Amino acid sequence: MHTAKTLRDYNKDIRAALDNAFLREAMDKFATAYPTGRANAFREYDVAALIAKVAEVKDQGLKRLDGLFAQFKAEAEKRGVHVHLAKDAAEANALVTRIGKEAGCRTVVKSKSMTAEETLLNHALEAEGFEVTETDLGEWIIQLRHEGPSHMVMPAIHLSRYQVADLFSQVTRQTQPTDIQRLVKVARRELRPKYAAADMGISGANFAIAETGTIGIVTNEGNARLVSTLPRVHVVLTGIDKLCATLEDALHILRVLPKNATGQAITSYVTWITGANPCAAAPNGTKEMHVIFLDNGRSALAKDPLFKQVLRCVRCGACANVCPVYRMVGGHAMGHIYIGAIGLILTYFFHGKDKAKTLAQNCINCQACKNICAAGIDLPLLIQEIRARINEEDGRPMSSALLSMAMKNRKFFHGLLRAAKFAQKPVAEGGYIRHLPEIFAKDHGFRALPAIAEVPFRDRFARLRPQVERPVKRIALFSGCVQDFVYPEQLEAALQVLGRLGVAVDFPMEQSCCGLPLSTMGEKAAAQDVARQNMAALAGDYDAIVTLCASCASHLAHGYGHLLGDSPEVQAFAAKVMPFSVFVSSLNVAPERFQQTMERATLHAPCHLCRGMGVTEEPRQLLKTAGYEYAPAELEQVCCGFGGTYSAKFPGVSENILKLKLADVARTHAETLVTECPGCVMQLRGGAIQHGHGFEVRHMAEVLAAHLKDK
Amino acid sequence: MEQSAIVARFRAKAEAVSAVVSEVETMAEAVAYTVDLCVHKEACQILVSGCDESLSPVGRDLCGLKEWGKIIAAPGIDAATRELLVARAKENGISVIENGLREHLGGVDIGFTVCQYGIAETGTLVLDSVSEEVRLATMLGEIHVAVLPKNRIAPTAESIADELRRMLGRNPNYLAFITGASRTADIERVLALGVHGPLELHILLVEEA
Ligand code: SF4
Ligand code: SF4
């Protein structure tokens, strides 16, 4: 459970997680197994269409939550169920306590409910003298260990069979085996008497269907069936966002949820309960049944034009499954109670700014979660927005405010970058900063940082500009700051390629940083400012605005719309933005123009290219056309761990993601690792040098220039 | 889709989650299958090594094996089937119970039920479980034997949405979708069956109901 208030403390927790060998191994195995399982489960389906429909179904429901609640209440009450609405966690816990006391209950069995985790219900009940037992195996394990879940679907994924065996030995006062099948049976036998003795059962709900007043519970173990059957009182605690209009709505979500969560076509059990059912343990033979809907900020959220989409979440947990940060640190270091990308967001709304402040920084903005979300939520964007909100409420950190101020004024900002060249002089050696100041050394030494170039690209352009007689296309080149000031040679290579291919290139001097770092730091006003400056600078009559930086491309093409509103002007601008490989591909260059050396090369797909821009095929084809043997890497589309300012904030995580990536590249035996983003080049090249890997790291423009013949 | 194709799909999907699927002509055959299964199963499968597994005293108390012998719990089936089942079970020294399942929380050998629908898309059984005894039979049985008439298998849940809605709308209603045996992967993501409910699910596709 994340509680660290400062980045420093948070990094200590992260270090501990990174050093936990079992956790790392468990996370690695899971990260490798999950995508295959999911792909199998969806094989016969059009996943994008299914997800779009989940989003639509949820959005329709969220528009009329009040109406659905009223309808559910009427239908359920007609059938003898007590329906309650709790405005916050305290009220929900008080309601459950009151129900338990009035019915004379003392013992409670629970099946898994993230909502009950959200309200810390167990603590509240135990403080009132109830004896509470979790019956979901994973939940029971973490309850016995007094921990929170480390995954929303697999709460004890951070623990080994040895730890569980020790725990069960303590509970049974007998030595227990470390064989998993036997441990499961021990749990079965130990928990059975708890059901038998319990007065009250508490469950969550995945669906609350308004038309019939029915709740739906999705489980694999079947414990929710016993929890809702054996005790004489059943209390359901669920968020109001689980309301849906019809059975069909629920069935549609059900088609996606288990597949996205665990790669199962459906869970072993789906339980639909309407009304007060028969119960032999109840005095009158009928169950006392309550449904408590928790608001806790949800109805306000439903009215927020941007954030309402977080209520689409069906708690499948997939946004953690694919997150490279989660893979490195696990759920306890990447969530307060809710885990993963959605956890970074929900923590702010449900558990407050203090808990969310450092947590919300721990996203590398790789877009993997957005790509996999069962409900089509733009999670990375919302995480950035959370940072902006926290900045607004809290006053910004000094560094963020300074950067923002500097970047609003292009000349000043570029002046700073030029000055940095002199500041780093004593430590720059062969283009790399070899010795970092002591204070950073321990954690930042993992990659060799490049030095600021002697002469930035903008000062070289006039001299290098290709003379093209009858251009096939006219483009504006957008450099981004890293290429301009650190890797001008990548832009030079691009100029050679474009010139030989008959493209007229312009480099508008008023362009500045694309503004993405400002957005990720939550500096929204400055980000808007910079966006307007760039749009003005690039306003000429160009066929395309081409950039060699995937992050810039995706920010120009998608980020500006979000920052400035989707006006026709912004749309027209965005439509012209093209990543370098996409633009070159559009020229349909014949392989004969390239020397076909068939050197072995592999690709790293920058996050903002493959997910941000949806570009995957063009770079592969281009590489083949340009005379390289393309050797695919298994983790081609996994983040390199850079993430701009992320690597400075969380060096430990960044370093470990990088190591994972480099080892994967090495397995391809490629001579060259090709990518299309200067940030990725910086991270990967530095790491490759540091760890003595034999392959070279080059930008796509450079490998094309190396093979392109003159005519 | 032809009904035979729907049945085949159901079968494939159910088998994919380790259900044991067989086809039988009549209810009598289904009964014979069930009793036979009960005869040949081990007495207490929940315990890997019989009744001397290390458990806390309370865990041990629930084991009613010695008093009862083997048990088939068969609540909510029609009189004719029940008669067949009781006769066949008796010949083999097996008890059949219909209610009072709360007395058997330690587990029974087999829970025997007749399902209302099947869903081919996922190999799912749809079982009206308003009766508490039905709910318990499908959870307490170490093996759940479910009979499903072939002509009640639908391609998707949506294709029987109106029928399902009618069931859900009853006062009260408890409807179970059951797909495979009770399972968990909560320890090291290793699959284990029978964590709270049956270790095995057997589905008998019957020609005539
Ligand atoms: S964008 Fe990437 S790093 Fe950020 S939460 Fe999503 S998956 Fe994790
Ligand atoms: S945010 Fe999306 S991916 Fe994450 S748990 Fe919710 S629905 Fe699943």
Side-chain angles (χ1 to χ4, degrees), chain A residues 319 323-325 334 341 363-369 380 383:
Chain A
C319 53
C323 173
V325 177
M334 208 202 176
C363 160
I364 201 163
N365 192 21
C366 74
Q367 312 274 316
C369 51
I383 293 169

Side-chain angles (χ1 to χ4, degrees), chain A residues 607-637:
Chain A
C607 301
H608 292 119
L609 191 69
C610 64
R611 287 175 290 274
M613 300 295 287
V615 174
T616 54
E617 268 317 307
E618 287 91 339
R620 294 175 186 158
Q621 287 311 326
L622 207 51
L623 209 54
K624 290 186 209 161
T625 307
Y628 293 87
E629 180 203 343
Y630 163 56
E634 196 178 322
L635 304 183
E636 181 177 300
Q637 297 190 356

Side-chain angles (χ1 to χ4, degrees), chain A residues 45 135 161 188 190 228 255, chain B residues 56 121 174 186 188 196-197:
Chain A
Y45 300 88
T135 61
R161 66 189 77 190
R188 174 186 171 116
E190 291 298 323
S228 62
R255 179 166 286 121
Chain B
S56 62
E121 182 182 6
Y174 195 113
D186 272 353
E188 295 191 10
H196 287 295

Side-chain angles (χ1 to χ4, degrees), chain A residues 38 42 46-62 206-207 241 243-244 248-260 308-316 372-377, chain B residues 158:
Chain A
R38 179 185 188 263
F42 278 119
D46 174 351
V47 191
L50 286 182
I51 289 175
K53 193 165 166 206
V54 170
E56 188 198 311
V57 162
K58 293 298 286 186
D59 285 349
Q60 289 302 326
L62 291 170
N206 297 85
F207 311 107
D241 50 314
L243 281 160
C244 57
E248 281 88 340
D249 287 353
L251 289 175
H252 182 74
I253 295 168
L254 183 61
R255 179 166 286 121
V256 179
L257 169 60
K259 295 184 182 70
N260 217 48
K308 64 181 178 203
Q309 54 177 312
V310 307
L311 294 177
R312 289 181 195 158
C313 172
V314 298
R315 308 281 188 263
C316 69
I372 208 95
C373 175
I377 305 171
Chain B
E158 278 87 347

Side-chain angles (χ1 to χ4, degrees), chain A residues 600-603 631-634 663-672 695:
Chain A
R600 201 174 169 87
T602 190
L603 281 171
E634 196 178 322
D664 180 61
V665 170
R667 278 192 291 272
T668 66
H669 302 291
E671 294 163 67
T672 312
F695 53 80

Side-chain angles (χ1 to χ4, degrees), chain B residues 116-135:
Chain B
Q116 282 69 41
Y117 294 100
I119 300 167
E121 182 182 6
T122 46
T124 300
L125 300 165
V126 179
L127 179 62
D128 183 336
S129 309
V130 174
S131 150
E132 181 179 292
E133 306 294 353
V134 170
R135 272 177 263 161

Side-chain angles (χ1 to χ4, degrees), chain A residues 45 79 135 138 161 181 185 188-190 192 211 220-222 228 230 248 255 268 270 272 274 279-280, chain B residues 46 56 59 102 105 121 132 158 165 168-169 173-175 177 179 182-184 186 188 191 194 196-197:
Chain A
Y45 300 88
R79 295 170 173 86
T135 61
R161 66 189 77 190
Q181 303 299 331
K185 283 172 182 132
R188 174 186 171 116
R189 288 294 299 249
E190 291 298 323
R192 209 40 92 69
E211 63 175 345
N220 272 317
E221 299 185 1
S228 62
L230 289 169
E248 281 88 340
R255 179 166 286 121
S268 301
V270 183
W272 308 98
T274 319
C279 176
Chain B
I46 296 309
S56 62
R102 276 180 188 261
L105 292 183
E121 182 182 6
E132 181 179 292
E158 278 87 347
R165 193 177 353 262
L168 288 187
N173 185 257
Y174 195 113
L175 194 69
F177 282 12
T179 314
S182 159
R183 61 173 60 212
T184 186
D186 272 353
E188 295 191 10
L191 178 67
H196 287 295

